[in-house]
Amino acid sequence: MMELLMNYFSYPFVRYAFIVGVLIALCSSLLGVILVLKRFSYIGDGLSHVAFGAMAVSMVLGIVQQKMFVIMPITVIVAVLLLRHSSDSRLSGDSKIAMISVGSLAIGYLLMNTFNTSANISADVCTTLFGSTSILTLSIEEVWLCIILSLAVIGIFVFLYHQIFAITFDEDFAKATGLKTEFYNFLIAVIMAVIIVMAMNLVGSLLISALLIFPAISAMQVCKSFKMVTIVSALISVICAVAGLLFSILGATPVGSTIVATDIIAFLIMFIYGRMRK
Amino acid sequence: MALITCENVSLGYEGTAIVENLNFTVNKNDYLCIIGENGSGKTTLMKSMLGLMKPMSGKILFSDGLKQNEIGYLPQQTMVQKDFPASAYEVVLSGCINHLGFHMHYAKKEKKKVISAMKKLNIWDLKDKSYRTLSGGQQQRVLLARALCATETLLVLDEPVTGLDFETTKQMYQLIDSLHKSGITIIMISHDPEATRKYATKILFLDHEIAFCDADEYFGRKS
């Protein structure tokens, strides 16, 4: 089996897939801790559907090569708007997210169907939603973009760790003691959009929330402190991503769903372990 | 010496005023209790003093060296916090956030502050315990220690004994009283007439009529 793996690793696209997979798993698990604790899980889910809608727009415009320039700005704007108005508004937060989420999904599919530019529409939709093969077709430019963005995200988490904790635990207190909470919320929204768009390549837009939520929840089953939750969540996510990728290569299974399946197994293990310790 | 002065302050949401023409001062070493029915604007007033929302009109002035970001604040607990996976130490440390600036780590001075606040409130032995596994009274003391890290002058408390049992409530009030005696100014929203009567030195009564006076006067006591 080792030999088979070595053989696979001699292909650049397999190496790219591992680099990108590990980085995205790491970033999304860090962000996931914030989202889960701030009760924002559904915003991540909604945004991934917005990214799908934006992807459809770029396909219709016939600029699939430069799709990032369409998807990234749209997702960032929606993320900023959603976080800004999550607390005070006539429409309650979760119904607004549900509307945007299902709306973008529907409009996206409608656009792709009406302005059909490719021969195999259902394969296109399937790829965008479940990311079936896109991680194995990455170009070297995409890999570099992913590396740079991931390093930026990780850097922000390391440098602003205490601010992020203060905002996640108690936004009012943080604001009352002089922290610029609007700025940090804006930053979180931008990071969220960036990670979601990157993760679309790995698991597809439907499974992004799994990558965000599962490692964080798994870590929370056993960890007592915020620091440990963050570290364990990152570890679980990276291990699951590597295991999922290996399994999907050896077993010829779809990459995204295989990674999520290993995340589910990790959650079950942590859940049972957490219960047994009590 | 006045720490906070409210001049003709009106508070409310979306153009509808709840409280109008509010005038009062908080002096150094006051123990001010804000009382009144639900919806009379107590929490709104507190949020305005903390800079979380703007008053519709009028001014809230800080003086005597008090900066807005040096108010220690004990909010009511939210559902999110009740099962938040953070150690008690991490929560208290986050009270120092206004001293962090652009540094990546807290300095020794802040860490000493955390230790002294936690020892003062008798929760140092809980430092590695997870916040979500603490009892209601312990959680309140952790949040109080966090507030102490943010200030040396003024504590603002929003119904600090909500959900606590009789004995813990008594302890909490004694703690706040000892902080007051050590020279910290207290502003407290209170639903507890007995404690208000016992500890307050000033009363702000919010209703259709606004009353601001000495506690002795309010309760008809001779000073």
Side-chain angles (χ1 to χ4, degrees):
Chain A
M1 199 168 83
M2 252 354 249
E3 209 167 296
L4 188 65
L5 272 179
M6 290 316 272
N7 189 22
Y8 274 117
F9 270 99
S10 64
Y11 296 106
F13 72 89
V14 175
R15 292 199 298 269
Y16 293 167
F18 270 86
I19 295 170
V20 169
V22 165
L23 286 175
I24 289 173
L26 186 58
C27 291
S28 58
S29 65
L30 293 176
L31 178 73
V33 174
I34 304 180
L35 294 191
V36 168
L37 288 172
K38 276 178 95 70
R39 304 291 190 267
F40 281 170
S41 307
Y42 258 101
I43 293 190
D45 193 52
L47 277 181
S48 64
H49 293 170
V50 170
F52 170 79
M55 173 84 123
V57 170
S58 75
M59 278 184 175
V60 168
L61 293 174
I63 46 168
V64 181
Q65 286 303 313
Q66 299 88 18
K67 59 179 189 265
M68 283 297 167
F69 296 102
V70 177
I71 302 171
M72 203 61 106
I74 293 181
T75 317
V76 168
I77 290 166
V78 176
V80 170
L81 290 177
L82 275 181
L83 275 201
R84 178 175 297 167
H85 298 290
S86 61
S87 50
D88 50 353
S89 170
R90 270 165 240 277
L91 271 176
S92 81
D94 64 331
S95 56
K96 209 160 44 181
I97 294 160
M99 278 166 58
I100 291 177
S101 167
V102 75
S104 343
L105 203 57
I107 300 292
Y109 186 58
L110 191 66
L111 283 175
M112 281 172 123
N113 239 315
T114 317
F115 303 95
N116 197 350
T117 50
S118 102
N120 192 348
I121 180 82
S122 36
D124 275 357
V125 174
C126 198
T127 306
T128 328
L129 285 179
F130 297 103
S132 38
T133 54
S134 48
I135 195 171
L136 297 175
T137 56
L138 295 168
S139 68
I140 184 75
E141 291 83 13
E142 281 175 310
V143 175
W144 275 113
L145 182 70
C146 178
I147 291 174
I148 292 164
L149 289 176
S150 307
L151 288 180
V153 168
I154 295 163
I156 288 171
F157 265 88
V158 172
F159 280 106
L160 301 177
Y161 171 79
H162 291 292
Q163 285 87 340
I164 287 172
F165 173 76
I167 282 206
T168 312
F169 183 72
D170 191 342
E171 197 171 321
D172 273 356
F173 181 89
K175 195 176 178 187
T177 48
L179 207 64
K180 300 265 175 287
T181 49
E182 289 89 0
F183 168 74
Y184 288 101
N185 275 335
F186 174 78
L187 200 64
I188 291 172
V190 173
I191 291 177
M192 186 154 72
V194 168
I195 291 174
I196 283 168
V197 174
M198 288 197 309
M200 231 163 98
N201 278 329
L202 179 62
V203 289
S205 58
L206 265 186
L207 303 176
I208 288 170
S209 6
L211 215 50
L212 286 169
I213 308 306
F214 270 107
I217 305 253
S218 306
M220 282 168 209
Q221 302 303 314
V222 294
C223 297
K224 287 181 187 167
S225 71
F226 187 74
K227 194 181 249 170
M228 284 313 288
V229 167
T230 314
I231 294 170
V232 172
S233 167
L235 278 177
I236 291 175
S237 189
V238 168
I239 292 170
C240 287
V242 171
L245 276 164
L246 284 177
F247 193 84
S248 75
I249 289 174
L250 295 175
T253 56
V255 181
S257 340
T258 312
I259 293 178
V260 174
T262 53
D263 272 316
I264 294 172
I265 293 168
F267 167 74
L268 289 175
I269 294 170
M270 296 306 251
F271 179 79
I272 292 165
Y273 180 61
R275 281 297 142 101
M276 272 172 22
R277 274 205 326 190
K278 268 180 193 167
Chain B
M1 287 285 268
L3 283 176
I4 299 182
T5 312
C6 278
E7 280 176 7
N8 296 318
V9 168
S10 297
L11 305 165
Y13 292 98
E14 291 173 7
T16 323
I18 311 172
V19 184
E20 282 179 298
N21 287 324
L22 190 59
N23 285 290
F24 69 93
T25 51
V26 182
N27 290 328
K28 214 165 204 174
N29 225 6
D30 274 352
Y31 194 130
L32 170 69
C33 278
I34 305 175
I35 54 178
E37 294 292 307
N38 284 334
S40 59
K42 301 188 297 290
T43 302
T44 316
L45 171 62
M46 184 167 278
K47 282 188 174 168
S48 305
M49 287 197 280
L50 291 163
L52 296 176
M53 56 183 286
K54 285 205 173 94
M56 284 165 67
S57 64
K59 277 182 197 152
I60 299 175
L61 303 165
F62 295 87
S63 47
D64 205 19
L66 179 70
K67 288 189 200 127
Q68 176 131 55
N69 65 2
E70 285 175 357
I71 303 177
Y73 172 39
L74 180 69
Q76 291 200 44
Q77 276 203 67
T78 60
M79 286 309 289
V80 172
Q81 285 160 10
K82 280 195 175 122
D83 54 54
F84 200 97
S87 69
Y89 180 80
E90 284 177 317
V91 174
V92 179
L93 189 63
S94 74
C96 299
I97 195 82
N98 52 352
H99 300 293
L100 187 62
F102 290 105
H103 300 286
M104 240 178 85
H105 297 291
Y106 288 106
K108 274 221 174 82
K109 202 177 112 200
E110 273 88 52
K111 286 181 180 159
K112 271 186 188 154
K113 221 174 187 178
V114 171
I115 297 171
S116 98
M118 291 184 84
K119 284 188 173 156
K120 202 186 269 181
L121 301 187
N122 231 345
I123 45 171
W124 181 243
D125 54 329
L126 303 176
K127 69 180 165 68
D128 295 322
K129 285 259 161 48
S130 190
Y131 181 80
R132 56 183 165 180
T133 59
L134 301 179
S135 70
Q138 288 168 333
Q139 288 185 341
Q140 276 309 71
R141 274 190 281 166
V142 168
L143 293 184
L144 188 57
R146 177 183 67 160
L148 278 180
C149 286
T151 189
E152 276 143 20
T153 37
L154 175 65
L155 274 181
V156 175
L157 316 166
D158 192 353
E159 297 182 34
V161 297
T162 311
L164 301 185
D165 61 40
F166 179 75
E167 199 52 39
T168 335
T169 299
K170 216 170 88 186
Q171 283 171 12
M172 196 68 192
Y173 279 129
Q174 281 165 357
L175 262 178
I176 297 167
D177 189 47
S178 70
L179 293 172
H180 176 233
K181 286 193 173 119
S182 73
I184 294 175
T185 309
I186 308 281
I187 301 176
M188 181 165 87
I189 291 183
S190 174
H191 271 311
D192 185 341
E194 203 181 319
T196 309
R197 188 180 278 267
K198 192 168 172 191
Y199 295 111
T201 64
K202 290 270 174 66
I203 302 286
L204 176 64
F205 178 66
L206 292 181
D207 209 324
H208 303 298
E209 297 282 312
I210 296 167
F212 174 65
C213 57
D214 277 346
D216 291 338
E217 195 184 321
Y218 185 84
F219 290 111
R221 292 185 298 225
K222 283 178 192 159
S223 51

